[in-house]
Amino acid sequence: MRKKISIGKKILSANEEYALENSLFLSERGKLCLNMISSPGSGKTTILSRTISELKNKIRIGVIEGDIQTDLDAEKIRATGAPAIQINTNGACHLSAAQISTALKQLPLDDLDLIFIENVGNLVCPSAFQLGETGKIAVLSVPEGDDKPIKYPAIFAKSKALLINKIDMLQTVGQADFDIERVKLDVRKLNKTVEIFPISAKTGEGMCNWYDWLLRTVKTPNQP
Amino acid sequence: MRKKISIGKKILSANEEYALENSLFLSERGKLCLNMISSPGSGKTTILSRTISELKNKIRIGVIEGDIQTDLDAEKIRATGAPAIQINTNGACHLSAAQISTALKQLPLDDLDLIFIENVGNLVCPSAFQLGETGKIAVLSVPEGDDKPIKYPAIFAKSKALLINKIDMLQTVGQADFDIERVKLDVRKLNKTVEIFPISAKTGEGMCNWYDWLLRTVKTPNQP
């Protein structure tokens, strides 16, 4: 008969080991690091570009870009004047903590208050992999429809903030397909503490509330 | 010194074994089976509902719905009068061939000409898993932006047809963010034989070309 031996210690996966290292690395330096997750095309890069441009006299932001292929997104970020490191996953559906560990050392961290990670466009897999970030930011865009929080609950349950982007399209999409109050209600059922910001990164509507939250959070990076 | 021995036979994964079984099962019965893949919210369920309703006097369609949670999509399909089997992956980011094997046996196959699989909303992972389908259909919606084929090439390279959905939003989104000619050009570089259909499942625009292709393909299911 086999005996079950409890060693009373959680064995970390390689990814969790790197994530823990990244987390310590960031908190020792007092840096806020936010991992942005959404479907492809919900507007992550546009949100980041506008945020960097409009906050550049207040906080210094660097970006780690995750994409399967191309460095298009890092180029868009660099056009704002911010430093950006591009990671190509070459087919993999999410960033890993080891990739973030390398990228963090390539950024000029001493000159930055805030590091954004823009994960691979995927509402499912990236939410399952810790990168050592201070917190996760979910983005849901209006044309994707209001049923996404109940169909893909994991990322909405784990995020510190949810950006409901492309609210300039609310009228075009119609309330039958995107009822913003329904989204808020469904997300609150999954996550009582999440901050929800309806925004349009294209027109700028609603962005000031997101900026206020970011500025407050940068001051206390370990309790976002 | 170790000797390398070639056994001259590909060892199939469990998923590939099931996919091969499904493929034989379908081709023996002369059934066309199309695996629809896209980001969340690109309009797969709306495309299927409209297609079923408008073709119901011409071909009989059944649907296998894949979602992480909920049976919302199967309910929408059943409302059109078509049979639908809902698979919940409970967190997994793609359907597996074993799940399709079970679902195929739950559908009234003798009464059907065409089976659609609506995969989990994810532009990355589902493209890497064969289900035994006759062919893959990619969906890209206008608000997702025109850079998706070069950023997420796998599914565009492997599909028999690409539906560019939500063309009613072309003007709202603007040509700077979605240049339909650029999409066609980028997709053709990845896939010379793909059929491309610009459509709006909401207004019905362009759907007739998609229907014509489906009706032609149903007649020769093994060469879509």
Side-chain angles (χ1 to χ4, degrees):
Chain A
M1 190 187 138
R2 283 192 187 181
K3 260 193 173 172
K4 202 172 172 184
I5 299 169
S6 170
I7 54 170
K9 189 182 161 186
K10 192 184 172 198
I11 296 170
L12 297 180
S13 70
N15 190 73
E16 287 169 326
E17 293 265 14
Y18 274 109
L20 190 60
E21 261 181 48
N22 292 345
S23 174
L24 290 170
F25 180 85
L26 288 161
S27 64
E28 278 167 11
R29 287 161 183 77
K31 304 291 177 187
L32 178 66
C33 177
L34 298 173
N35 178 10
M36 193 172 260
I37 295 174
S38 80
S39 302
S42 69
K44 294 185 293 301
T45 317
T46 309
I47 293 168
L48 291 178
S49 298
R50 188 162 191 137
T51 301
I52 292 165
S53 298
E54 298 195 341
L55 292 184
K56 70 176 156 197
N57 295 327
K58 293 179 178 166
I59 49 172
R60 298 159 303 170
I61 298 175
V63 180
I64 299 171
E65 283 289 343
D67 277 296
I68 289 178
Q69 300 272 336
T70 82
D71 60 353
L72 290 175
D73 287 354
E75 280 173 26
K76 286 182 192 166
I77 297 297
R78 287 183 201 121
T80 68
I85 307 296
Q86 179 76 54
I87 298 170
N88 279 147
T89 64
N90 296 313
C93 55
H94 63 90
L95 287 171
S96 71
Q99 290 169 322
I100 297 302
S101 169
T102 306
L104 280 173
K105 278 132 208 167
Q106 294 172 320
L107 277 173
L109 270 197
D110 291 343
D111 300 333
L112 300 175
D113 304 301
L114 164 58
I115 300 102
F116 274 109
I117 299 167
E118 183 182 337
N119 221 308
V120 176
N122 183 330
L123 206 52
V124 188
C125 317
S127 68
F129 293 85
Q130 287 294 333
L131 302 180
E133 71 270 25
T134 329
K136 291 180 174 63
I137 309 291
V139 182
L140 171 67
S141 66
V142 167
E144 292 172 58
D146 57 12
D147 57 355
K148 297 304 164 289
I150 58 170
K151 288 176 69 183
Y152 302 85
I155 183 57
F156 298 95
K158 290 178 183 176
S159 290
K160 299 292 177 192
L162 163 64
L163 302 178
I164 303 178
N165 193 27
K166 307 193 190 181
I167 55 168
D168 54 299
M169 286 191 182
L170 276 170
Q171 213 171 348
T172 310
V173 169
Q175 207 183 356
D177 289 327
F178 201 93
D179 179 341
I180 202 162
E181 294 309 318
R182 178 193 164 179
V183 170
K184 288 180 185 173
L185 217 66
D186 287 340
V187 172
R188 293 246 180 268
K189 278 182 206 158
L190 297 165
N191 185 335
K192 284 192 176 55
T193 61
V194 64
E195 301 267 356
I196 302 179
F197 302 107
I199 61 162
S200 166
K202 200 169 184 175
T203 67
E205 194 183 344
M207 295 292 280
C208 55
N209 296 322
W210 157 242
Y211 297 156
D212 287 346
W213 181 81
L214 271 184
L215 294 173
R216 280 199 311 275
T217 309
V218 161
K219 287 187 193 155
T220 54
N222 295 324
Q223 296 110 35
Chain B
M1 190 185 138
R2 283 194 188 180
K3 260 193 173 172
K4 203 171 172 183
I5 298 169
S6 169
I7 55 172
K9 189 182 160 186
K10 191 185 172 197
I11 296 170
L12 297 180
S13 70
N15 190 72
E16 286 168 327
E17 294 265 15
Y18 274 109
L20 189 61
E21 262 181 48
N22 293 345
S23 174
L24 290 170
F25 180 85
L26 289 160
S27 65
E28 278 167 13
R29 286 160 184 77
K31 304 292 177 187
L32 178 66
C33 177
L34 298 173
N35 178 11
M36 193 172 260
I37 295 174
S38 79
S39 303
S42 68
K44 293 184 294 301
T45 316
T46 309
I47 293 168
L48 291 177
S49 298
R50 188 164 192 136
T51 301
I52 292 164
S53 298
E54 299 195 341
L55 292 184
K56 70 177 156 197
N57 295 327
K58 294 179 178 166
I59 47 172
R60 300 158 302 169
I61 299 175
V63 180
I64 299 171
E65 282 289 342
D67 277 297
I68 290 179
Q69 301 271 335
T70 83
D71 60 354
L72 289 174
D73 287 353
E75 281 174 26
K76 287 183 192 167
I77 297 297
R78 287 184 201 121
T80 68
I85 307 296
Q86 179 76 53
I87 299 169
N88 279 147
T89 65
N90 296 313
C93 54
H94 63 91
L95 287 171
S96 71
Q99 290 169 322
I100 297 303
S101 169
T102 306
L104 281 173
K105 278 130 209 168
Q106 295 171 320
L107 278 173
L109 270 197
D110 291 342
D111 301 334
L112 300 174
D113 304 300
L114 164 58
I115 301 101
F116 274 109
I117 299 168
E118 183 182 337
N119 220 309
V120 176
N122 183 330
L123 205 52
V124 187
C125 317
S127 68
F129 293 85
Q130 287 294 333
L131 302 180
E133 71 270 24
T134 328
K136 290 179 174 64
I137 308 291
V139 183
L140 171 66
S141 67
V142 168
E144 292 171 59
D146 58 12
D147 57 355
K148 296 306 165 290
I150 57 170
K151 288 176 69 182
Y152 302 84
I155 183 56
F156 298 95
K158 290 177 182 175
S159 290
K160 298 292 178 193
L162 163 64
L163 302 178
I164 303 178
N165 192 28
K166 306 193 190 180
I167 55 168
D168 55 296
M169 286 192 183
L170 276 170
Q171 213 171 348
T172 311
V173 169
Q175 206 183 357
D177 289 327
F178 201 93
D179 179 341
I180 202 163
E181 295 309 318
R182 177 193 163 178
V183 170
K184 288 180 186 173
L185 217 67
D186 287 340
V187 172
R188 294 247 181 266
K189 279 182 206 157
L190 296 165
N191 186 334
K192 284 193 177 54
T193 60
V194 64
E195 301 268 356
I196 302 179
F197 302 107
I199 61 162
S200 166
K202 199 169 186 176
T203 67
E205 193 183 343
M207 294 292 280
C208 56
N209 296 322
W210 157 242
Y211 297 155
D212 287 347
W213 181 81
L214 271 184
L215 294 172
R216 281 199 310 275
T217 309
V218 162
K219 287 187 192 154
T220 54
N222 295 323
Q223 295 109 35

